[in-house]
Amino acid sequence: MGIIKRFYFVTSYLLSYSIMLFSSTAGNKCKLIKIDTQNIAMVFTVGKDSSLFFDYFGPSIDDASPFFKKQSYRRDDYGTDPLVYPVMGGRNFKQPALSAIHADGGLNTELMCVSIDKCVVDSGNVDRYLILLKDRKNPFYVELILESFYKENVITEKVKICHNESAPIVLRDFYSGYLPIRANKYYLNSFSGGWGMEMKLEETLLTHGLKRIESRKEVRATQAENPSFMLSLDVPLSENYGHVIGGALAWSGNFALNFELDEFNILNIIGGINSYSSEYTLEPNQEFYTPEMIFTYSTRGAGDITRNLHDWARNHLVYDSKSIRPIVLNSWEGTYFNYDEKVIKRMIDDSKALGVDFFVLDDGWFGNVYPRNNSKEGLGDWVVNKQKLPSGLTGLASYAHRRGMKFGIWIEPEMLNPDSELAHMHPDWIVQEKGRPLTTIRDQLLLDLTNPDVQDFVFSVFDYVMKQSPYISYIKWDANRHVESAGSLYLPTNKQSYFWIEYVRGLYSVYGRIREKYPNVIIEACASGGGRVDYGVLRYHQAFWTSDNTDPRSRIFIQYGTNMIYPALATDAHVSISPNHQTNNQTPLKFRFDVAMSACLGIEFQPNQMTEKDLAFSEKAIKEYRKIQPIVLFGDLYRTLSPYDNHGYSSLMYVSKDKREAVLFVYCFEFQGRNILPRLKLNGLDCGLKYRIEELNVDSSVFWGNGSVFSGQYLTNEGISPKLQRCYDSAVFLIKSVE
Ligand code: DGJ
């Protein structure tokens, strides 16, 4: 599709003198802007007074000229037509995307369009639109930066704010993106939860007023709510039918997504950094960038939203997204803090026998003055505990290497125990407000990442660990508390409210330095489980630890929610012991494997506590996983049965991009009596191809057609009904084209 079609310059537009003053390119002549991807479009028009109106977001519209004609019928007297970036001031009375106190104390901002530029970032796929807006009165500017991803049907938006007023201005709201949506009913699907129960899907029929999804915890920001959503228009969310909008924010601190249903029945969606307690003073000529909101649209239900987001994330965002992820054995649930060198060496040997790629040593390896033998002391003192591990990380990593195993290590560099050498050396580095007592969570305090010295320290922790051995190539980066009694001894007294934003910027700056020096190391993001499940961290991390809850029954729900937005490629899922340490639930080993194999499989049990039979099963399952891993990590996700549909089954499948291979997972997590079997109509296959079905992880199959060849058409229209009736029955099928 040519440039003309994808970016309309419908007519020449005589810009007002103030616009002319700031215009410099041909782009500013346009009156209608149409941003297209393969299947969706966004349309803006410049009004008579140079206001930039938001006309449309939805499925493609080839001929956008009616939007242009519609201009003359705007009700200028009301001033209520949605703007592309609605701010506090003038006639806007809804939740603003931006509010500022100007140098002269004025509270109002009214933006007019100054110029519009387009550049091609990646020919044929990624275009960038820079739309410069200026306040009508003050030299105050907002630049909207939109990027369209043609193949993935995603449009991202962020803004740059700057000014040239006579004195500093104060920013009070500074959101990244806005969507006005018109439908008859709005079903918001968002994710709530807590520790061990992250990403629980909730659907809410929105009524008039404001519904807000947010975090004010800064760290572990995504455990209770997630900065992402699916909005189903007119009807409740369904997998394959209906118009749905998807959105997510790439930010790892306080966030807010506002859904305001107004008196005109327009749903106003505004998302970005949470302005909670975060007033930000902007000096003249200083630039303030927001993170990106990511938007997509589907006319075929939730499934396409997921696939769009996964494709976009794998092609444009997730760190090192083209690499297969390793299978790790993590020591945490196997040993917790109770180990010594002998135990770890034996675990490394046992990991090798199981056939995993990495052994990852979790918490408990450091601290001498304050040995880290429990959560109460030692955090912050990143020197190996010589008593526990006399040969150090260097010795252990070499040991692993000699046995053909890769080695990884756990760190939590943003945090410290009050009982640590670090706390005594640098009390001023701790997040706090002078004169108020320090409060601990999980016995620990938080370092003030707004402080460049702390940033250097956090970098040095990573650097130090990496320097212990050339054989360390995996880091699990944990963060086990959130912010309370926010405050910084580094920031000046009049800039304390910068804390929330500067913390995340400090974190990203450290990540940036680490990535420059260590581009190849695998870094898993963790924050008490799923406290950092967001598209901000995935720019730097290969994956996140999805939840501390490793019970497969819980994981069916946690992974279902997580993978609605985030790809399996980034979703770590480990097999642990039964009864489960978090839930006390008992499940068969096969069920645990079958659930973990639908994401990035790992192990989190102590092999020497397993029976020979279980070890043999595990070893085989790990081999089987390697057969399906590329399909799971890089394929298209189709959800075939939702665990939320109250039938006690859950099922999903991944289909390779060329549709020649697929893997189907099905889980029974409630007793089904005698008569019920799951009916699975497969999705995403090529109806013109023939496929052989092979059940994995079993001796005798639960499907009568195991080993047989079926047409894609049969599997799609008739489907299969594997015999799964008892609680915790499960099956994994590899489906391969025979042509
Ligand atoms: C919380 C993490 O989520 C766990 O996996 C483990 O690493 C512990 N912290 C260690 O303290």
Side-chain angles (χ1 to χ4, degrees):
M1 190 175 284
I3 274 183
I4 301 295
K5 202 163 176 207
R6 292 174 56 192
F7 186 59
Y8 274 56
F9 297 142
V10 172
T11 70
S12 249
Y13 178 56
L14 188 58
L15 300 161
S16 69
Y17 91 92
S18 50
I19 291 176
M20 294 298 281
L21 214 59
F22 294 97
S23 61
S24 58
T25 65
N28 61 21
K29 293 246 166 77
C30 88
K31 180 158 183 176
L32 187 146
I33 305 143
K34 184 157 163 284
I35 301 175
D36 281 306
T37 71
Q38 194 170 193
N39 300 326
I40 69 178
M42 206 177 245
V43 179
F44 309 150
T45 46
V46 183
K48 284 199 280 287
D49 63 351
S50 304
S51 295
L52 185 64
F53 291 102
F54 198 131
D55 291 285
Y56 180 78
F57 178 52
S60 298
I61 291 184
D62 286 344
D63 176 11
S65 57
F67 289 108
F68 170 64
K69 290 184 198 129
K70 216 171 118 186
Q71 273 287 349
S72 27
Y73 296 96
R74 267 193 207 293
R75 298 174 64 180
D76 288 344
D77 52 334
Y78 268 50
T80 48
D81 283 350
L83 297 170
V84 173
Y85 194 69
V87 295
M88 154 69 206
R91 285 172 153 164
N92 181 33
F93 47 85
K94 286 171 270 189
Q95 163 71 46
L98 177 144
S99 60
I101 306 177
H102 292 281
D104 62 0
L107 301 175
N108 290 289
T109 306
E110 291 174 276
L111 296 174
M112 58 183 184
C113 184
V114 172
S115 68
I116 299 161
D117 283 296
K118 177 195 169 194
C119 57
V120 176
V121 178
D122 173 12
S123 178
N125 197 33
V126 189
D127 291 333
R128 181 176 301 140
Y129 299 82
L130 301 175
I131 304 177
L132 185 61
L133 309 173
K134 180 195 169 291
D135 182 33
R136 290 183 193 282
K137 177 179 144 190
N138 298 306
F140 174 91
Y141 307 93
V142 174
E143 185 171 46
L144 308 179
I145 305 163
L146 291 115
E147 288 194 352
S148 61
F149 298 83
Y150 188 77
K151 287 194 286 234
E152 296 89 1
N153 291 305
V154 161
I155 296 174
T156 61
E157 183 177 5
K158 65 180 177 184
V159 307
K160 178 174 103 181
I161 304 164
C162 62
H163 72 94
N164 195 13
E165 299 189 22
S166 56
I169 60 128
V170 178
L171 292 175
R172 304 179 79 179
D173 287 291
F174 26 75
Y175 285 97
S176 302
Y178 168 66
L179 290 180
I181 305 297
R182 294 181 195 83
N184 295 316
K185 283 186 177 171
Y186 304 94
Y187 292 87
L188 176 64
N189 285 257
S190 56
F191 304 94
S192 72
W195 178 86
M197 48 183 285
E198 294 87 345
M199 295 298 278
K200 251 188 346 170
L201 181 65
E202 283 182 341
E203 180 161 86
T204 314
L205 174 62
L206 295 177
T207 53
H208 289 92
L210 183 66
K211 161 90 180 166
R212 194 171 153 93
I213 292 165
E214 63 180 323
S215 172
R216 300 190 207 100
K217 290 183 172 167
E218 183 76 353
V219 183
R220 302 201 298 191
T222 66
Q223 213 134 33
E225 301 193 67
N226 194 270
S228 62
F229 67 92
M230 287 197 195
L231 178 81
S232 184
L233 306 183
D234 299 324
V235 290
L237 187 71
S238 88
E239 192 52 33
N240 300 311
Y241 308 100
H243 285 229
V244 183
I245 293 165
L249 175 73
W251 182 248
S252 312
N254 289 349
F255 61 83
L257 304 175
N258 301 283
F259 300 84
E260 185 175 4
L261 184 53
D262 68 21
E263 63 195 282
F264 311 103
N265 285 343
I266 294 176
L267 183 68
N268 300 274
I269 306 174
I270 295 185
I273 297 177
N274 195 340
S275 53
Y276 160 75
S277 175
S278 296
E279 284 191 354
Y280 205 99
T281 302
L282 207 60
E283 302 291 330
N285 297 320
Q286 191 187 344
E287 293 174 347
F288 182 100
Y289 279 92
T290 72
E292 288 154 297
M293 273 300 298
I294 303 134
F295 294 120
T296 182
Y297 195 103
S298 156
T299 55
R300 298 188 309 179
D304 270 1
I305 294 288
T306 294
R307 290 183 287 277
N308 291 350
L309 289 175
H310 288 187
D311 281 346
W312 175 81
R314 287 181 301 210
N315 292 338
H316 303 285
L317 185 125
V318 176
Y319 194 81
D320 188 21
S321 62
K322 304 297 170 207
S323 306
I324 205 93
R325 300 315 192 218
I327 304 176
V328 308
L329 186 145
N330 178 296
S331 66
W332 181 241
E333 284 198 33
T335 63
Y336 294 105
F337 294 102
N338 312 318
Y339 57 79
D340 58 18
E341 194 157 307
K342 202 167 146 223
V343 169
I344 295 305
K345 283 184 169 164
R346 163 88 196 268
M347 246 177 147
I348 292 172
D349 293 344
D350 292 343
S351 307
K352 176 69 190 166
L354 273 174
V356 303
D357 305 305
F358 264 93
F359 173 78
V360 177
L361 180 59
D362 211 283
D363 201 350
W365 58 267
F366 49 89
N368 286 300
V369 179
Y370 297 96
R372 178 75 170 171
N373 292 326
N374 50 53
S375 65
K376 294 194 186 321
E377 56 182 340
L379 193 60
D381 300 346
W382 300 105
V383 179
V384 81
N385 180 328
K386 278 283 177 194
Q387 219 183 342
K388 245 176 168 173
L389 305 172
S391 52
L393 298 182
T394 317
L396 280 179
S398 295
Y399 181 87
H401 178 70
R402 285 197 299 276
R403 289 196 163 40
M405 286 289 298
K406 293 182 179 163
F407 189 77
I409 193 83
W410 175 98
I411 56 173
E412 191 178 6
E414 296 158 77
M415 315 259 167
L416 72 172
N417 286 127
D419 283 338
S420 64
E421 291 184 84
L422 181 66
H424 299 307
M425 254 173 345
H426 293 289
D428 53 321
W429 283 4
I430 297 166
V431 170
Q432 62 191 287
E433 188 188 296
K434 224 182 197 152
R436 292 189 193 278
L438 294 174
T439 53
T440 55
I441 299 176
R442 203 201 188 209
D443 310 305
Q444 64 197 58
L445 302 161
L446 179 65
L447 289 174
D448 175 11
L449 263 177
T450 70
N451 182 339
D453 290 343
V454 174
Q455 293 169 21
D456 287 347
F457 170 78
V458 172
F459 175 80
S460 76
V461 171
F462 194 100
D463 202 35
Y464 167 81
V465 168
M466 289 302 295
K467 281 182 180 152
Q468 297 309 298
S469 169
Y471 305 125
I472 295 177
S473 48
Y474 187 115
I475 301 285
K476 176 175 173 187
W477 180 306
D478 207 345
N480 284 300
R481 66 159 291 167
H482 53 258
V483 175
E484 289 176 353
S485 301
S488 162
L489 299 186
Y490 167 75
L491 292 171
T493 46
N494 62 348
K495 292 186 176 164
Q496 289 294 303
S497 60
Y498 292 23
F499 171 79
W500 307 98
I501 292 171
E502 294 306 334
Y503 187 98
V504 181
R505 286 182 177 164
L507 178 70
Y508 287 172
S509 151
V510 174
Y511 280 163
R513 283 167 69 186
I514 287 172
R515 277 313 184 191
E516 215 171 291
K517 187 157 180 191
Y518 299 106
N520 299 325
V521 66
I522 296 170
I523 316 178
E524 179 187 25
C526 174
S528 303
R532 272 186 178 155
V533 171
D534 65 70
Y535 275 129
V537 295
L538 287 181
R539 275 222 161 84
Y540 305 95
H541 290 265
Q542 278 89 342
F544 43 68
W545 179 226
T546 317
S547 175
D548 272 352
N549 186 346
T550 50
D551 177 346
R553 188 186 199 283
S554 309
R555 275 296 186 127
I556 286 175
F557 290 87
I558 294 168
Q559 290 170 203
Y560 182 91
T562 303
N563 295 143
M564 284 184 81
I565 305 291
Y566 306 98
L569 176 80
T571 306
D572 285 341
H574 293 180
V575 174
S576 61
I577 200 93
S578 173
N580 184 267
H581 288 180
Q582 292 77 36
T583 64
N584 208 26
N585 196 20
Q586 296 192 36
T587 53
L589 185 62
K590 172 177 161 54
F591 188 72
R592 282 175 265 154
F593 264 98
D594 285 357
V595 172
M597 279 166 71
S598 69
C600 294
L601 172 72
I603 306 294
E604 196 144 334
F605 53 64
Q606 165 57 290
N608 71 17
Q609 286 170 1
M610 307 294 280
T611 63
E612 283 303 315
K613 193 171 156 222
D614 282 352
L615 287 174
F617 179 89
S618 304
E619 197 187 329
K620 186 147 183 273
I622 289 166
K623 284 200 185 109
E624 300 280 56
Y625 178 67
R626 294 197 195 274
K627 289 188 194 163
I628 61 167
Q629 194 182 19
I631 315 172
V632 173
L633 267 42
F634 306 116
D636 288 329
L637 171 59
Y638 291 87
R639 288 172 288 258
T640 23
L641 283 179
S642 164
Y644 286 94
D645 283 350
N646 288 324
H647 41 48
Y649 285 115
S650 179
S651 173
L652 62 140
M653 54 191 292
Y654 281 94
V655 181
S656 66
K657 287 286 174 192
D658 63 5
K659 296 194 178 290
R660 303 197 80 83
E661 289 185 308
V663 54
L664 170 71
F665 299 90
V666 51
Y667 313 112
C668 174
F669 58 88
E670 260 168 40
F671 175 60
Q672 300 291 335
R674 285 209 175 132
N675 305 321
I676 298 170
L677 292 180
R679 172 96 190 270
L680 303 170
K681 290 189 175 189
L682 306 200
N683 206 344
L685 298 180
D686 181 338
C687 283
L689 288 180
K690 291 209 160 32
Y691 297 91
R692 186 182 309 282
I693 297 193
E694 178 200 353
E695 187 175 354
L696 307 181
N697 291 349
V698 277
D699 296 327
S700 69
S701 179
V702 288
F703 175 45
W704 59 264
N706 190 39
S708 310
V709 172
F710 297 86
S711 70
Q713 201 178 36
Y714 176 91
L715 294 173
T716 304
N717 297 328
E718 167 57 19
I720 67 170
S721 290
K723 197 163 181 293
L724 304 176
Q725 289 176 305
R726 287 173 315 168
C727 201
Y728 306 136
D729 279 352
S730 60
V732 180
F733 297 100
L734 176 59
I735 301 166
K736 266 185 152 175
S737 146
V738 290
E739 286 153 68

